[in-house]
Structure formats: C-alpha cells, structure tokens
Amino acid sequence: DAGITQSPRHKVTETGTPVTLRCHQTENHRYMYWYRQDPGHGLRLIHYSYGVKDTDKGEVSDGYSVSRSKTEDFLLTLESATSSQTSVYFCAISESGVPADTQYFGPGTRLTVL
Amino acid sequence: DAKTTQPNSMESNEEEPVHLPCNHSTISGTDYIHWYRQLPSQGPEYVIHGLTSNVNNRMASLAIAEDRKSSTLILHRATLRDAAVYYCILRLSSNTGKLIFGQGTTLQVKP
C-alpha cells in the first residue's frame, strides 16, 4: 500500500470555525490532490499540487485553500467552515501528472460541520 | 470534460466472471482509460488502465473496443471482496493528472 496518511480521520466542528486537514505521504511523489465525496456527486477535485509551493484549483475550490511547504505534506484549510462542507475528504498522490500515471488514495477524513 | 457512461448497478454470483461495461464515445486519441474501485468506507483504489490494447494484471483484465469508444473491465472470478463501486475514468492528455469521477457501477456479489 502507498504510504499515505490523513489526519484527523474524523472531525466534528461548528459553523464558522477554521479547520485544517493534513495529508502526509512517504512516497516522495510530486503530485498531491484533495477530493471530496458526497452522496449523489461521486468524488470531486478541490485542489491539487504539482510540487512544493505549486498548487492549482479543481472543480469545487470555493471556500477552500491549500498549502504545500514540503513534498510530503499537503494541507487543506476551510477558513470558515459551513454545513455544505460536511463531507468525506480524500487525499491522493501520484508520481507525475501524465495520463498513464496512477493515483493512490488515502483512507479519508470524515468532516461534520454543525 | 470527457464523459463516461456506466450502468448504475450490476449483480454477480461468487466465483463467476463479471463484465463491467463503460461507454466513452468522446474519447480522443491520447486519452487513457482508467478503472478504479471503491470498497465500502475506503478510498478509491487503482484497478487497471489502458490506451489501445487489451491489458491484464493480477486484479483484472481490460478489453478496449477497436474504435476505443467503449471498454469492459473483466473480473475473472468474482469474490465477495470484489463488491464495490467501480469507476471508469478517462485520463485526458491535457488536464494535468486530474481524475474526473462519474457515478460508477455498484457491483453486488452474491454468495
């Protein structure tokens, strides 16, 4: 299994509070991704990173920011959590961004915003 | 974004082969076909991918139509552990590694 951990695994928070989710990898892969999964929507890309300090938006980036100061860590921040951000969040990594490459997913973080 | 079409659900009996279809009529020449699956309460996991030729690995086989507008994921002998949501995804040559997930096919395996 690819060495990907996510923390925390579960979190309950209140509307308006800041939340940071962490993805940590031990594979030294260049690309890292954050997805969210909601019933009826499948997985949707929030943000991704193609190197240290290099990030770009995905299809559902509003209300989220990311940072990557080290190869192994990719942080997802909800500056002011809303109930619509209740979801399961998955981190993924890949060696490169080429179409033949494989993505490896972490175990997920279940976030509930009350 | 390139779109794939899969049946919402399928059933199989344990120990029997399963053929999961996917239509991708808008595929272009450099787009790869990827399959991932997601077991209950887990993150997606890679199954197989291909470009033009049929592919085999320890998990499954991928059969790609000659015109590349459709493909079939083949599980040779389904087990109860294969019950999952299976996603057929086009990896576009232009979109920097992003995976665009559809709704997938929920596979139920009966003992």
Side-chain angles (χ1 to χ4, degrees), chain A residues 9 31 33 35 37 40-43 45 48 50 57 59 90 96-107, chain B residues 30-32 34 36 38 41-46 49 87 91-103:
Chain A
R9 294 292 314 280
Y31 280 71
Y33 309 82
Y35 294 86
Q37 186 170 33
H41 285 281
L43 280 95
L45 182 66
Y48 68 100
Y50 47 97
K57 297 179 180 181
E59 61 179 309
F90 289 100
S96 72
V98 300
D101 202 5
T102 299
Q103 284 190 19
Y104 301 95
F105 285 79
Chain B
T30 53
D31 296 341
Y32 277 76
H34 285 247
Y36 283 74
Q38 187 172 22
S41 301
Q42 294 188 25
E45 66 173 338
Y46 167 79
H49 76 275
Y87 297 99
R91 289 290 295 276
L92 308 184
S93 56
S94 59
N95 71 354
T96 332
K98 301 174 201 173
L99 290 177
I100 309 297
F101 284 82
Q103 296 303 308

Side-chain angles (χ1 to χ4, degrees), chain A residues 6-93:
Chain A
Q6 293 184 232
S7 57
R9 294 292 314 280
H10 301 272
K11 186 171 181 67
V12 180
T13 191
E14 295 191 349
T15 297
T17 60
V19 176
T20 295
L21 307 183
R22 179 184 183 231
C23 177
H24 179 78
Q25 60 145 330
T26 57
E27 306 296 322
N28 201 37
H29 282 0
R30 182 180 168 200
Y31 280 71
M32 299 185 75
Y33 309 82
W34 277 108
Y35 294 86
R36 61 178 287 175
Q37 186 170 33
D38 307 291
H41 285 281
L43 280 95
R44 293 178 291 174
L45 182 66
I46 306 171
H47 281 280
Y48 68 100
S49 169
Y50 47 97
V52 173
K53 298 193 190 316
D54 293 322
T55 64
D56 204 351
K57 297 179 180 181
E59 61 179 309
V60 289
S61 59
D62 287 348
Y64 301 94
S65 62
V66 290
S67 65
R68 190 160 177 213
S69 58
K70 298 184 289 185
T71 298
E72 57 266 35
D73 289 326
F74 192 32
L75 304 181
L76 178 70
T77 297
L78 292 65
E79 300 290 348
S80 177
T82 67
S83 58
S84 65
Q85 294 175 312
T86 292
S87 188
V88 180
Y89 292 85
F90 289 100
C91 173
I93 64 173

